[in-house]
Amino acid sequence: MSVQERKERERADRERLIVATARELAEAQGWDAVTTRRLAERIEYSQPVLYSHFRGKREIIGAVALEGAAEMAVAARAAAAAADGPRARVTALARAYLDFAEHNPAVYDAMFRLDGGLAFAREDTPEPLKDAFSALLESLGEVAGDGVHPELFTEVFWAALHGLATLTRARRLPPEDTERRVELLVDRLAVV
């Protein structure tokens, strides 16, 4: 391994450590607890080293969001693949989405609530965000119904899931009714 390759590997390792530490801190104490000073202390590097990887907290949030999007895409595809038939796939996908949001609240916030400097629904949208949307579209497109644009249907279904996740987490909706809400959402929106 050349010196340059070793340096690049070390840099990538430091970047992964910064993102993992930010994510861990945010999940434990919230995003307000994530500061460059605290991150530098936790990873045992100076703040200038941290700034050599990310210009600030916003970019760190963006990196966590991209990591989360990739994880959400994997979870959505795995859930859909394990289900038999369109209705079961959509139900499994909805459950996987809501489970991801519930078990990864800081990551979910980085993806959809906080400003990570990422472009959504544009030409320059980062690939992990496009792939997460594609993971939803793969199952939802088949139940959109005749004459309904699959991407538009996926956006509406995703918005409904986001609303359920956000309102349940904020305790505006009782969590014990989540399964009934998923069934209602699938029954009313999906054409199966």
Side-chain angles (χ1 to χ4, degrees):
M1 174 183 306
S2 73
V3 172
Q4 182 63 28
E5 289 171 329
R6 182 181 53 78
K7 286 182 178 183
E8 287 174 12
R9 188 184 75 219
E10 289 171 355
R11 180 173 177 74
D13 288 345
R14 271 192 315 271
E15 193 164 301
R16 278 191 294 279
L17 178 62
I18 293 165
V19 172
T21 303
R23 183 175 175 164
E24 177 184 305
L25 188 57
E27 290 293 0
Q29 299 177 30
W31 278 104
D32 287 342
V34 179
T35 64
T36 53
R37 190 176 127 264
R38 287 185 81 185
L39 284 174
E41 288 171 3
R42 284 195 175 211
I43 64 172
E44 299 179 346
Y45 283 101
S46 67
Q47 282 183 291
V49 169
L50 194 139
Y51 282 117
S52 74
H53 290 273
F54 299 98
R55 285 181 275 184
K57 184 174 175 177
R58 181 178 187 224
E59 283 189 6
I60 294 168
I61 290 169
V64 169
L66 293 177
E67 191 175 88
E71 291 170 10
M72 182 179 274
V74 168
R77 285 189 176 106
D84 188 29
R87 186 186 198 302
R89 277 192 292 279
V90 172
T91 301
L93 173 86
R95 287 181 185 136
Y97 183 98
L98 295 172
D99 286 347
F100 182 89
E102 179 184 353
H103 293 103
N104 304 281
V107 174
Y108 192 82
D109 285 348
M111 293 167 65
F112 300 120
R113 256 191 7 88
L114 302 174
D115 179 9
L118 303 173
F120 282 80
R122 293 193 341 214
E123 196 71 26
D124 59 339
T125 298
E127 199 53 45
L129 297 179
K130 288 179 182 178
D131 189 51
F133 185 79
S134 292
L136 299 176
L137 178 62
E138 289 161 12
S139 291
L140 295 171
E142 70 180 324
V143 298
D146 292 338
V148 178
H149 193 272
E151 285 87 0
L152 186 61
F153 178 80
T154 300
E155 289 171 353
V156 170
F157 202 94
W158 170 31
L161 289 174
H162 176 70
L164 289 175
T166 303
L167 292 169
T168 301
R169 184 167 152 210
R171 302 188 195 287
R172 302 300 193 268
L173 297 175
E176 62 271 12
D177 291 330
T178 297
E179 187 60 31
R180 289 177 48 213
R181 287 185 197 98
V182 168
E183 292 297 323
L184 183 62
L185 181 65
V186 173
D187 287 344
R188 295 295 187 242
L189 289 182
V191 178
V192 285

